[in-house]
Amino acid sequence: MPVYAFEDLIPVVHPTAFIHPTAILIGDVQIGAGVYVGPSASLRGDFGRILLEEGSNIQDNCTMHGFQNTDTVVEADGHIGHGAILHSARVGRGALVGMNSVVMDGAVIGPESIVAAQCFVKAGSTFGPRSLIAGVPGKVIRAVTDAEFAWKTEGTRQYQDLAQRCRRGLRVVEPLTEPEPDRPTVQWADLKPLYQSRG
């Protein structure tokens, strides 16, 4: 994986974390236990500190960066969906930021909150615990239900499992020219998308 010191600051990665080989870590980046960092994620700690706390994940094509002398933080068990951008923001413990969302400078997403896909969270916005945030700009729609938070928690647990599965079983290979007979599929517990999980 491309890991770069910036001046005297070298990224710190816990030995149980998984960082995809195409992700980029630069400078003052600190990655905790069991974290998953997906393909093509960019964590650039050349202005401010980047922190991914234990059990969190940041998925494919995500960006974490910030202004000078600020921290950009995903707290424990935070879940950052594909293509999201976090800039000098804090995502609270157990919160989810949906795909292609942008969370701007000084914004705080409360614990166990969910930011909907393609949401734009304005600079300086603060949201309390269990907020369901959606729209452009992001506003609280209602509280996150227990069922929604349980769904999110299971999804995060699967990413924690994925980090360990990738540490054991991800390797560079040459592609096959055709599928094998009786080709298996990847096996996971059945977690349906949220829209299919609602009663």
Side-chain angles (χ1 to χ4, degrees):
M1 91 190 84
V3 177
Y4 300 92
F6 181 73
E7 297 172 346
D8 291 329
L9 287 165
I10 298 171
V12 177
V13 177
H14 192 278
T16 62
F18 173 78
I19 314 299
H20 190 275
T22 62
I24 297 175
L25 310 181
I26 299 171
D28 193 4
V29 175
Q30 298 178 29
I31 295 178
V35 167
Y36 174 88
V37 177
S40 300
S42 176
L43 285 69
R44 188 156 64 87
D46 51 8
F47 281 14
R49 179 167 290 163
I50 306 298
L51 295 172
L52 285 175
E53 294 184 356
E54 65 273 12
S56 61
N57 67 77
I58 184 159
Q59 298 168 20
D60 321 48
N61 302 312
C62 288
T63 300
M64 289 182 73
H65 192 243
F67 277 111
Q68 297 87 338
N69 305 311
T70 65
D71 293 348
T72 305
V73 180
V74 178
E75 294 182 10
D77 299 328
H79 190 108
I80 312 302
H82 315 291
I85 298 171
L86 308 179
H87 201 274
S88 298
R90 176 173 288 270
V91 176
R93 185 179 195 92
L96 179 150
V97 174
M99 293 181 258
N100 290 316
S101 292
V102 176
V103 184
M104 289 297 293
D105 309 287
V108 177
I109 306 300
E112 302 183 1
S113 292
I114 293 177
V115 177
Q118 296 191 325
C119 183
F120 178 82
V121 178
K122 291 194 306 187
S125 301
T126 299
F127 298 95
R130 285 278 182 113
S131 297
L132 179 60
I133 305 155
V136 179
K139 296 187 183 333
V140 177
I141 304 302
R142 58 173 171 77
V144 171
T145 66
D146 289 345
E148 288 165 339
F149 185 66
W151 171 85
K152 181 268 162 200
T153 299
E154 177 58 20
T156 300
R157 189 193 65 73
Q158 289 193 356
Y159 266 91
Q160 292 163 351
D161 290 348
L162 179 61
Q164 302 316 307
R165 288 177 70 167
C166 286
R167 286 171 49 79
R168 292 189 304 268
L170 188 74
R171 64 190 191 280
V172 176
V173 297
E174 291 296 318
L176 302 175
T177 56
E178 57 184 57
E180 315 93 303
D182 302 317
R183 181 181 175 94
T185 60
V186 178
Q187 297 301 303
W188 283 99
D190 187 22
L191 181 65
K192 292 182 170 45
L194 184 57
Y195 80 96
Q196 292 180 344
S197 303
R198 293 187 175 118

